[in-house]
Amino acid sequence: MRFMRIGEAGAERPAMLAQDGTWRDISRLVPDLGPETLATAAEVLAGADLSLLPALSPDSQRVGPPIARPRNIWCIGLNYSDHAAEAGMAVPAEPILFTKPGSTLSGPTDPILRPAHARKLDWEVELGVVIGKPALGIAEADAMDHVFGYVAANDVSEREWQIERGGQWSKGKGYPSFCPVGPLLVTRDEVPDPQALAMELTVNGAVMQKGTTATMVFGVAHIVAYLSRFVLLEPGDLIVTGTPPGVGMGFKPPRYLKGGDVVELTVEGLGRQRTVVQDV
């Protein structure tokens, strides 16, 4: 199954791709795609006759984030060995965990906001994992049963705030719009191997990141099981799983985003984002 949420911010309607290639408004069956519904959404929609539902057009309407605001956004740091090297940090022995507030969530074409006191705004293309049922203390062998699906994400980061303002990573990750997600939410069954997805990010048309989830230090199943030892993973939770090399701070000299820059990214099978940096 492939999903979008289509409409203006705060008024998005959940949509599912029908067999005829049209997007259908499924809000009569599933009010939204988020914490209250994802645990049962696939079961409710299985076998539904989408042809009876209204059509929606992602070409003529805003596409929002494909999930409603999650209770939690969990993030894994330095999860690609070559990214750790460009950051001058050791490959971690265990997954590094930090969080982003739900207010960072934005759509795949919404602007990335750059406040006046942001001087080192950076990009990170990432595979996002959406939880479908609660997970606490689960085994790695069972972890994938708790995954609903996958999204493309950009873990936008302000490096001065992250690194030079007291060492708190979340501080540099939490400004509104710092987590563009989408356009698609694709269910787990349509992504047979999440460790074999190509990823790319460009800034103003120039390729900055080009990698594959095959080089993740800790794979999706390991991450889900590992996190469940320490926190309750809930339906609708988003896990962003790390980024390959090519982030702005890794260049010599570093390259950071400025107002008007166009950031485009794709994760194989999960659609393409196009966001513009907006000074505020």
Side-chain angles (χ1 to χ4, degrees), residues 153-200:
N154 186 355
D155 176 18
V156 179
S157 308
E158 213 298 343
R159 300 302 187 188
E160 181 185 12
W161 304 353
Q162 177 189 357
I163 298 169
E164 302 171 35
R165 300 295 295 274
Q168 300 173 25
W169 280 22
S170 294
K171 189 185 297 179
K173 305 279 190 170
Y175 199 80
S177 80
F178 275 20
C179 194
V181 171
L184 300 176
L185 167 61
V186 179
T187 50
R188 182 184 75 242
D189 60 298
E190 294 205 18
V191 183
D193 186 359
Q195 307 307 147
L197 303 178
M199 314 165 73
E200 183 176 282

Short mmCIF file of all heavy atoms in Angstrom, two decimals, residues 153-200:
data_model
loop_
_atom_site.label_atom_id
_atom_site.label_comp_id
_atom_site.label_asym_id
_atom_site.label_seq_id
_atom_site.Cartn_x
_atom_site.Cartn_y
_atom_site.Cartn_z
N ALA A 153 13.07 11.11 4.57
CA ALA A 153 13.12 12.20 5.54
C ALA A 153 14.41 13.00 5.38
O ALA A 153 15.42 12.49 4.88
CB ALA A 153 13.03 11.66 6.97
N ASN A 154 14.35 14.26 5.79
CA ASN A 154 15.52 15.13 5.84
C ASN A 154 15.68 15.58 7.29
O ASN A 154 14.86 16.32 7.81
CB ASN A 154 15.32 16.34 4.92
CG ASN A 154 16.57 17.22 4.82
OD1 ASN A 154 17.57 16.99 5.50
ND2 ASN A 154 16.50 18.23 3.98
N ASP A 155 16.74 15.09 7.94
CA ASP A 155 17.03 15.50 9.32
C ASP A 155 17.81 16.82 9.25
O ASP A 155 19.03 16.85 9.39
CB ASP A 155 17.83 14.41 10.03
CG ASP A 155 18.26 14.82 11.43
OD1 ASP A 155 17.68 15.77 11.99
OD2 ASP A 155 19.20 14.20 11.96
N VAL A 156 17.08 17.91 9.02
CA VAL A 156 17.71 19.23 8.95
C VAL A 156 18.36 19.55 10.29
O VAL A 156 17.78 19.31 11.35
CB VAL A 156 16.68 20.30 8.56
CG1 VAL A 156 17.33 21.68 8.49
CG2 VAL A 156 16.02 19.95 7.22
N SER A 157 19.58 20.09 10.24
CA SER A 157 20.38 20.29 11.45
C SER A 157 21.06 21.65 11.43
O SER A 157 21.61 22.04 10.40
CB SER A 157 21.45 19.19 11.56
OG SER A 157 20.89 17.90 11.42
N GLU A 158 21.02 22.33 12.56
CA GLU A 158 21.79 23.58 12.70
C GLU A 158 23.04 23.22 13.50
O GLU A 158 22.97 22.94 14.69
CB GLU A 158 20.96 24.64 13.41
CG GLU A 158 21.22 26.07 12.97
CD GLU A 158 22.64 26.59 13.22
OE1 GLU A 158 23.38 25.99 14.02
OE2 GLU A 158 22.99 27.63 12.63
N ARG A 159 24.19 23.18 12.82
CA ARG A 159 25.39 22.61 13.42
C ARG A 159 25.95 23.46 14.56
O ARG A 159 26.53 22.91 15.51
CB ARG A 159 26.46 22.41 12.34
CG ARG A 159 26.03 21.49 11.21
CD ARG A 159 25.65 20.11 11.68
NE ARG A 159 25.42 19.23 10.53
CZ ARG A 159 24.93 18.00 10.63
NH1 ARG A 159 24.59 17.51 11.81
NH2 ARG A 159 24.76 17.26 9.54
N GLU A 160 25.84 24.77 14.49
CA GLU A 160 26.31 25.58 15.60
C GLU A 160 25.51 25.26 16.86
O GLU A 160 26.07 25.06 17.94
CB GLU A 160 26.21 27.08 15.28
CG GLU A 160 26.72 27.95 16.43
CD GLU A 160 26.52 29.44 16.18
OE1 GLU A 160 25.79 29.80 15.24
OE2 GLU A 160 27.07 30.22 16.96
N TRP A 161 24.19 25.21 16.71
CA TRP A 161 23.35 24.90 17.87
C TRP A 161 23.63 23.49 18.38
O TRP A 161 23.61 23.24 19.59
CB TRP A 161 21.87 25.00 17.50
CG TRP A 161 21.43 26.31 16.92
CD1 TRP A 161 22.15 27.46 16.81
CD2 TRP A 161 20.15 26.58 16.34
NE1 TRP A 161 21.39 28.44 16.21
CE2 TRP A 161 20.17 27.94 15.91
CE3 TRP A 161 18.99 25.83 16.14
CZ2 TRP A 161 19.07 28.53 15.30
CZ3 TRP A 161 17.90 26.42 15.54
CH2 TRP A 161 17.93 27.76 15.12
N GLN A 162 23.86 22.56 17.45
CA GLN A 162 24.06 21.16 17.81
C GLN A 162 25.38 20.92 18.52
O GLN A 162 25.45 20.17 19.50
CB GLN A 162 23.98 20.29 16.56
CG GLN A 162 24.26 18.81 16.81
CD GLN A 162 24.39 18.02 15.52
OE1 GLN A 162 24.23 18.55 14.42
NE2 GLN A 162 24.70 16.74 15.64
N ILE A 163 26.46 21.55 18.02
CA ILE A 163 27.81 21.19 18.44
C ILE A 163 28.46 22.23 19.33
O ILE A 163 29.22 21.89 20.24
CB ILE A 163 28.68 20.93 17.19
CG1 ILE A 163 28.10 19.75 16.39
CG2 ILE A 163 30.13 20.65 17.57
CD1 ILE A 163 28.73 19.57 15.02
N GLU A 164 28.14 23.50 19.09
CA GLU A 164 28.86 24.57 19.78
C GLU A 164 28.07 25.23 20.90
O GLU A 164 28.56 26.19 21.51
CB GLU A 164 29.25 25.64 18.74
CG GLU A 164 30.10 25.10 17.61
CD GLU A 164 30.30 26.12 16.49
OE1 GLU A 164 30.41 27.33 16.81
OE2 GLU A 164 30.34 25.72 15.32
N ARG A 165 26.86 24.76 21.18
CA ARG A 165 26.02 25.40 22.18
C ARG A 165 25.70 24.47 23.34
O ARG A 165 24.57 24.36 23.79
CB ARG A 165 24.73 25.88 21.52
CG ARG A 165 24.92 26.90 20.40
CD ARG A 165 25.50 28.21 20.91
NE ARG A 165 24.60 28.89 21.80
CZ ARG A 165 23.62 29.72 21.42
NH1 ARG A 165 23.45 30.00 20.13
NH2 ARG A 165 22.86 30.31 22.30
N GLY A 166 26.72 23.76 23.82
CA GLY A 166 26.53 22.95 25.01
C GLY A 166 26.45 21.46 24.77
O GLY A 166 26.23 20.71 25.72
N GLY A 167 26.65 21.03 23.55
CA GLY A 167 26.75 19.61 23.29
C GLY A 167 25.45 18.84 23.29
O GLY A 167 25.45 17.62 23.43
N GLN A 168 24.32 19.50 23.15
CA GLN A 168 23.03 18.81 23.14
C GLN A 168 22.54 18.70 21.70
O GLN A 168 22.11 19.68 21.10
CB GLN A 168 22.03 19.58 24.00
CG GLN A 168 22.46 19.72 25.45
CD GLN A 168 21.54 20.62 26.23
OE1 GLN A 168 20.38 20.79 25.89
NE2 GLN A 168 22.04 21.23 27.29
N TRP A 169 22.60 17.50 21.14
CA TRP A 169 22.26 17.33 19.74
C TRP A 169 20.84 17.81 19.43
O TRP A 169 20.60 18.42 18.40
CB TRP A 169 22.42 15.87 19.34
CG TRP A 169 23.82 15.47 19.07
CD1 TRP A 169 24.96 16.10 19.53
CD2 TRP A 169 24.27 14.38 18.28
NE1 TRP A 169 26.07 15.44 19.08
CE2 TRP A 169 25.68 14.38 18.30
CE3 TRP A 169 23.61 13.38 17.56
CZ2 TRP A 169 26.44 13.43 17.63
CZ3 TRP A 169 24.36 12.44 16.90
CH2 TRP A 169 25.75 12.46 16.92
N SER A 170 19.90 17.49 20.30
CA SER A 170 18.51 17.84 20.02
C SER A 170 18.32 19.33 19.85
O SER A 170 17.41 19.77 19.15
CB SER A 170 17.60 17.31 21.13
OG SER A 170 17.59 15.89 21.14
N LYS A 171 19.18 20.11 20.48
CA LYS A 171 19.08 21.57 20.37
C LYS A 171 19.23 22.03 18.93
O LYS A 171 18.60 22.99 18.49
CB LYS A 171 20.15 22.21 21.25
CG LYS A 171 20.04 23.72 21.41
CD LYS A 171 21.23 24.27 22.20
CE LYS A 171 21.27 23.73 23.60
NZ LYS A 171 22.44 24.24 24.37
N GLY A 172 20.07 21.34 18.16
CA GLY A 172 20.30 21.72 16.78
C GLY A 172 19.38 21.03 15.79
O GLY A 172 19.53 21.20 14.57
N LYS A 173 18.42 20.26 16.31
CA LYS A 173 17.57 19.45 15.44
C LYS A 173 16.09 19.80 15.54
O LYS A 173 15.28 19.23 14.81
CB LYS A 173 17.73 17.97 15.84
CG LYS A 173 19.16 17.45 15.84
CD LYS A 173 19.63 17.09 14.45
CE LYS A 173 20.95 16.35 14.47
NZ LYS A 173 21.30 15.80 13.15
N GLY A 174 15.73 20.74 16.43
CA GLY A 174 14.34 20.84 16.83
C GLY A 174 13.53 22.01 16.35
O GLY A 174 12.38 22.16 16.75
N TYR A 175 14.07 22.87 15.46
CA TYR A 175 13.32 24.04 15.02
C TYR A 175 12.17 23.60 14.10
O TYR A 175 12.31 22.62 13.35
CB TYR A 175 14.25 25.01 14.29
CG TYR A 175 13.72 26.42 14.18
CD1 TYR A 175 13.82 27.30 15.26
CD2 TYR A 175 13.12 26.86 13.01
CE1 TYR A 175 13.34 28.60 15.16
CE2 TYR A 175 12.64 28.15 12.90
CZ TYR A 175 12.75 29.02 13.98
OH TYR A 175 12.26 30.30 13.88
N PRO A 176 11.03 24.29 14.11
CA PRO A 176 9.94 23.94 13.20
C PRO A 176 10.42 23.86 11.75
O PRO A 176 11.21 24.69 11.31
CB PRO A 176 8.94 25.08 13.39
CG PRO A 176 9.17 25.54 14.80
CD PRO A 176 10.65 25.40 15.03
N SER A 177 9.97 22.85 11.04
CA SER A 177 10.30 22.54 9.64
C SER A 177 11.58 21.75 9.49
O SER A 177 11.99 21.45 8.37
CB SER A 177 10.40 23.81 8.78
OG SER A 177 11.65 24.48 8.94
N PHE A 178 12.24 21.37 10.58
CA PHE A 178 13.52 20.67 10.50
C PHE A 178 13.37 19.16 10.26
O PHE A 178 14.35 18.42 10.38
CB PHE A 178 14.35 20.91 11.76
CG PHE A 178 15.18 22.18 11.73
CD1 PHE A 178 14.88 23.21 10.86
CD2 PHE A 178 16.27 22.34 12.58
CE1 PHE A 178 15.63 24.38 10.84
CE2 PHE A 178 17.04 23.51 12.56
CZ PHE A 178 16.72 24.53 11.69
N CYS A 179 12.17 18.70 9.87
CA CYS A 179 12.00 17.29 9.53
C CYS A 179 11.01 17.14 8.38
O CYS A 179 9.91 16.61 8.54
CB CYS A 179 11.53 16.48 10.74
SG CYS A 179 11.66 14.68 10.51
N PRO A 180 11.39 17.58 7.16
CA PRO A 180 10.53 17.33 6.01
C PRO A 180 10.43 15.82 5.75
O PRO A 180 11.45 15.12 5.75
CB PRO A 180 11.26 18.03 4.86
CG PRO A 180 12.20 19.00 5.52
CD PRO A 180 12.58 18.37 6.81
N VAL A 181 9.21 15.34 5.53
CA VAL A 181 8.97 13.91 5.37
C VAL A 181 8.05 13.69 4.17
O VAL A 181 7.15 14.48 3.91
CB VAL A 181 8.32 13.33 6.66
CG1 VAL A 181 7.86 11.90 6.44
CG2 VAL A 181 9.31 13.37 7.81
N GLY A 182 8.29 12.60 3.45
CA GLY A 182 7.41 12.24 2.35
C GLY A 182 8.09 12.36 1.00
O GLY A 182 9.31 12.51 0.92
N PRO A 183 7.28 12.31 -0.06
CA PRO A 183 5.82 12.41 -0.08
C PRO A 183 5.06 11.13 0.27
O PRO A 183 3.89 11.19 0.66
CB PRO A 183 5.53 12.79 -1.54
CG PRO A 183 6.66 12.16 -2.31
CD PRO A 183 7.86 12.29 -1.42
N LEU A 184 5.70 9.97 0.13
CA LEU A 184 4.97 8.70 0.28
C LEU A 184 5.23 8.05 1.62
O LEU A 184 6.32 8.15 2.20
CB LEU A 184 5.41 7.73 -0.82
CG LEU A 184 5.19 8.14 -2.27
CD1 LEU A 184 5.77 7.08 -3.20
CD2 LEU A 184 3.72 8.36 -2.56
N LEU A 185 4.21 7.35 2.11
CA LEU A 185 4.35 6.35 3.15
C LEU A 185 4.07 5.01 2.47
O LEU A 185 2.97 4.79 1.95
CB LEU A 185 3.35 6.59 4.28
CG LEU A 185 3.17 5.45 5.30
CD1 LEU A 185 4.46 5.12 6.03
CD2 LEU A 185 2.06 5.82 6.30
N VAL A 186 5.07 4.14 2.44
CA VAL A 186 4.97 2.86 1.74
C VAL A 186 5.02 1.75 2.77
O VAL A 186 5.93 1.70 3.62
CB VAL A 186 6.12 2.71 0.72
CG1 VAL A 186 6.03 1.37 0.01
CG2 VAL A 186 6.07 3.85 -0.30
N THR A 187 4.06 0.84 2.71
CA THR A 187 3.99 -0.21 3.72
C THR A 187 5.15 -1.20 3.59
O THR A 187 5.74 -1.37 2.53
CB THR A 187 2.66 -0.98 3.63
OG1 THR A 187 2.41 -1.38 2.28
CG2 THR A 187 1.51 -0.11 4.11
N ARG A 188 5.40 -1.85 4.70
CA ARG A 188 6.58 -2.72 4.82
C ARG A 188 6.62 -3.80 3.74
O ARG A 188 7.69 -4.12 3.22
CB ARG A 188 6.55 -3.38 6.21
CG ARG A 188 7.73 -4.28 6.52
CD ARG A 188 7.59 -4.95 7.86
NE ARG A 188 6.60 -6.03 7.84
CZ ARG A 188 5.49 -6.04 8.56
NH1 ARG A 188 5.20 -5.03 9.37
NH2 ARG A 188 4.65 -7.06 8.50
N ASP A 189 5.47 -4.35 3.37
CA ASP A 189 5.45 -5.44 2.41
C ASP A 189 5.91 -5.02 1.02
O ASP A 189 6.30 -5.86 0.21
CB ASP A 189 4.05 -6.04 2.33
CG ASP A 189 3.00 -5.02 1.90
OD1 ASP A 189 2.81 -4.04 2.63
OD2 ASP A 189 2.39 -5.19 0.82
N GLU A 190 5.87 -3.71 0.72
CA GLU A 190 6.30 -3.22 -0.59
C GLU A 190 7.78 -2.83 -0.62
O GLU A 190 8.28 -2.39 -1.65
CB GLU A 190 5.42 -2.04 -1.02
CG GLU A 190 3.97 -2.43 -1.26
CD GLU A 190 3.27 -1.49 -2.22
OE1 GLU A 190 3.96 -0.74 -2.94
OE2 GLU A 190 2.04 -1.49 -2.23
N VAL A 191 8.45 -2.97 0.52
CA VAL A 191 9.89 -2.69 0.59
C VAL A 191 10.55 -3.96 1.14
O VAL A 191 10.80 -4.07 2.34
CB VAL A 191 10.19 -1.48 1.49
CG1 VAL A 191 11.69 -1.16 1.49
CG2 VAL A 191 9.40 -0.26 1.03
N PRO A 192 10.81 -4.94 0.28
CA PRO A 192 11.28 -6.23 0.78
C PRO A 192 12.60 -6.17 1.52
O PRO A 192 12.84 -6.98 2.41
CB PRO A 192 11.37 -7.09 -0.50
CG PRO A 192 11.26 -6.17 -1.64
CD PRO A 192 10.58 -4.94 -1.17
N ASP A 193 13.47 -5.23 1.16
CA ASP A 193 14.77 -5.13 1.85
C ASP A 193 15.08 -3.66 2.13
O ASP A 193 15.59 -2.96 1.25
CB ASP A 193 15.87 -5.76 1.02
CG ASP A 193 17.20 -5.81 1.76
OD1 ASP A 193 17.27 -5.33 2.91
OD2 ASP A 193 18.19 -6.32 1.19
N PRO A 194 14.81 -3.18 3.33
CA PRO A 194 15.11 -1.78 3.64
C PRO A 194 16.61 -1.49 3.70
O PRO A 194 17.00 -0.32 3.80
CB PRO A 194 14.46 -1.57 5.00
CG PRO A 194 14.44 -2.92 5.63
CD PRO A 194 14.23 -3.87 4.49
N GLN A 195 17.43 -2.52 3.63
CA GLN A 195 18.89 -2.33 3.64
C GLN A 195 19.48 -2.36 2.22
O GLN A 195 20.66 -2.61 2.06
CB GLN A 195 19.55 -3.41 4.50
CG GLN A 195 19.00 -3.53 5.91
CD GLN A 195 18.96 -2.21 6.67
OE1 GLN A 195 18.08 -2.00 7.47
NE2 GLN A 195 19.91 -1.32 6.43
N ALA A 196 18.64 -2.05 1.23
CA ALA A 196 19.13 -2.04 -0.15
C ALA A 196 18.48 -0.90 -0.93
O ALA A 196 18.09 -1.08 -2.08
CB ALA A 196 18.85 -3.38 -0.82
N LEU A 197 18.38 0.26 -0.31
CA LEU A 197 17.71 1.40 -0.94
C LEU A 197 18.72 2.50 -1.27
O LEU A 197 19.49 2.94 -0.41
CB LEU A 197 16.63 1.97 0.00
CG LEU A 197 15.56 0.98 0.46
CD1 LEU A 197 14.59 1.67 1.43
CD2 LEU A 197 14.80 0.38 -0.72
N ALA A 198 18.70 2.95 -2.51
CA ALA A 198 19.56 4.06 -2.92
C ALA A 198 19.02 5.37 -2.37
O ALA A 198 17.81 5.55 -2.23
CB ALA A 198 19.64 4.13 -4.43
N MET A 199 19.93 6.30 -2.05
CA MET A 199 19.57 7.60 -1.47
C MET A 199 20.38 8.68 -2.18
O MET A 199 21.55 8.47 -2.51
CB MET A 199 19.89 7.63 0.03
CG MET A 199 19.45 6.41 0.80
SD MET A 199 20.23 6.32 2.44
CE MET A 199 19.34 7.61 3.28
N GLU A 200 19.75 9.84 -2.37
CA GLU A 200 20.47 10.95 -2.99
C GLU A 200 19.90 12.27 -2.51
O GLU A 200 18.69 12.39 -2.28
CB GLU A 200 20.38 10.87 -4.51
CG GLU A 200 21.18 11.96 -5.23
CD GLU A 200 21.14 11.81 -6.75
OE1 GLU A 200 21.87 10.95 -7.27
OE2 GLU A 200 20.36 12.55 -7.40
#
